[in-house]
Structure formats: structure tokens, C-alpha cells
Amino acid sequence: ASTGGAIYGNPEVIPCTEEHPIRPISPYGLTKHVLEHYLEMYSIIEGLHYTVLRYANVFGPRQDPKGEAGVNAIFTGLMLEGKRPTIFGKGDKTRDYVFVGDVVEANVLALERGDGEIVNIGTGIQTSDQEVYDAIAAATGYDQPPIYSPERKGEVRHIALDISKAKRVLGWEPQVSFREGVKITVEYNKAQM
């Protein structure tokens, strides 16, 4: 499991293919890239079989709001509690969000396909922070505006992943749209309250 957002840095072309230059702007992205090199090295010297999946921002039920890329979980939890979430920046920063059930399917397919390959797992669609906020507010019935704070350093401004290689090598493509995934996630969280 690698990262398809932080590893490319601020991309030259969106959606990014796996051949896009690697230019991480965070320690997280850098360590994921180093891991990919370790896998390649062990493949050469030990014959290790591997498939690297570069995930977009994975979201869905059971997501830890304290974990990596947890904006959906954070916003959902806060809105269901009647608290105002914070958007860092103007809400125009974009990410590629992929539903956890679709990621599970990609992992199952990678057990038998894609040996020695690096494959993006995402949707190819840019979704802004404001769109995330609006989708979750609609699903939760929340009607307050967000708090806007200054952007944080070291964050990629815009990203989406080209998934044509995933279709070709794994026979995979996402099945759950962002808004559908948000509804599923909100319903799950409501049931846990």
C-alpha cells in the first residue's frame, strides 16, 4: 500500500499516471516512495513478488478520524455532533476520493494480478474540500457554514489519479461514486451513535 497523492507532490498533469515524476513534498510521501524502492530491491535480490497499489484518499465506514486522509470521517463526526468543521484554505484544494469497498476489491485482484507493477487506485476525479463539506452536510442534514482557516504547509494543492493501468492490469475500476460513498458512511456512523 503506497500513496497516490503525496508521492507525486504538486503534479504537472492531472490525472497523474504512474509514470508521473515523483516529487513528494511531505515526509509521508517520501517514505512511501522509499518503500517502493525496497520492494523492487527485494524482488531483485530475493525474488519477492509484489504489486504496489498507490491509493488515492480512501474513505468509508469505520474510518478513524485521527488517521491519514480522514477529512470525511472528521467532518462526518463533527456534523453529526452539531459541531462546525474546519476547512484549511478557501475550500478549493482538491483530492481524489475512493471508497473503501472499491479499494478492497483492488487488493483482492492484486493477489493474482500485477506482479512487479505499480498501479494507481482512485477515481480520476478531483473533489474539492468544499464539495466534501457540502456532500457530508447534505447527507447529515447539517446546515451551518464551515470554519475557514489558513492552508497548511506541505499539502498538495490538487491531485487525481489516472486509473487506466488499474483497468488494464487488474481489471479494476471503482463502482461507488463519492456522494454514494458519503451516504453509506454517514448511515454507518449514525447507526454507531
Side-chain angles (χ1 to χ4, degrees):
S2 188
T3 178
I7 206 164
Y8 299 116
N10 287 310
E12 297 168 3
V13 178
I14 298 175
C16 291
T17 68
E18 294 81 356
E19 289 75 34
H20 188 281
I22 303 298
R23 296 188 183 118
I25 59 172
S26 70
Y28 175 75
L30 181 62
T31 58
K32 289 292 190 173
H33 185 55
V34 169
L35 173 67
E36 292 178 6
H37 285 289
Y38 271 108
L39 290 171
E40 183 180 17
M41 178 191 69
Y42 278 105
S43 174
I44 293 165
I45 64 174
E46 298 291 339
L48 176 72
H49 295 277
Y50 69 91
T51 304
V52 172
L53 300 181
R54 287 182 178 163
Y55 301 152
N57 290 61
V58 182
F59 77 101
R62 299 184 183 167
Q63 184 175 20
D64 182 354
K66 296 172 182 67
E68 174 62 25
V71 67
N72 288 280
I74 293 167
F75 284 7
T76 299
L78 290 172
M79 287 182 192
L80 288 174
E81 293 172 6
K83 297 177 183 173
R84 287 177 66 197
T86 298
I87 291 178
F88 294 96
K90 298 176 184 176
D92 60 343
K93 186 171 79 275
T94 61
R95 296 286 181 269
D96 183 337
Y97 292 95
V98 61
F99 188 68
V100 66
D102 289 329
V103 173
V104 169
E105 180 62 24
N107 279 269
V108 170
L109 291 168
L111 291 172
E112 296 184 4
R113 301 177 188 172
D115 188 28
E117 299 280 355
I118 295 174
V119 183
N120 286 336
I121 301 298
T123 64
I125 300 168
Q126 294 182 73
T127 302
S128 73
D129 292 345
Q130 188 66 54
E131 289 172 307
V132 170
Y133 186 92
D134 293 344
I136 296 171
T140 59
Y142 187 78
D143 63 359
Q144 298 299 311
I147 299 166
Y148 293 96
S149 289
E151 277 191 36
R152 297 182 285 196
K153 292 182 180 183
E155 288 198 354
V156 173
R157 289 279 304 134
H158 302 286
I159 190 73
L161 305 180
D162 184 303
I163 58 169
S164 19
K165 187 173 182 181
K167 291 177 186 177
R168 187 176 70 255
V169 171
L170 302 178
W172 176 89
E173 60 185 307
Q175 300 300 308
V176 179
S177 72
F178 177 70
R179 284 198 174 257
E180 183 182 353
V182 165
K183 288 177 188 174
I184 293 167
T185 303
V186 167
E187 290 308 311
Y188 173 83
N189 287 345
K190 281 182 180 178
Q192 301 306 305
M193 294 182 80

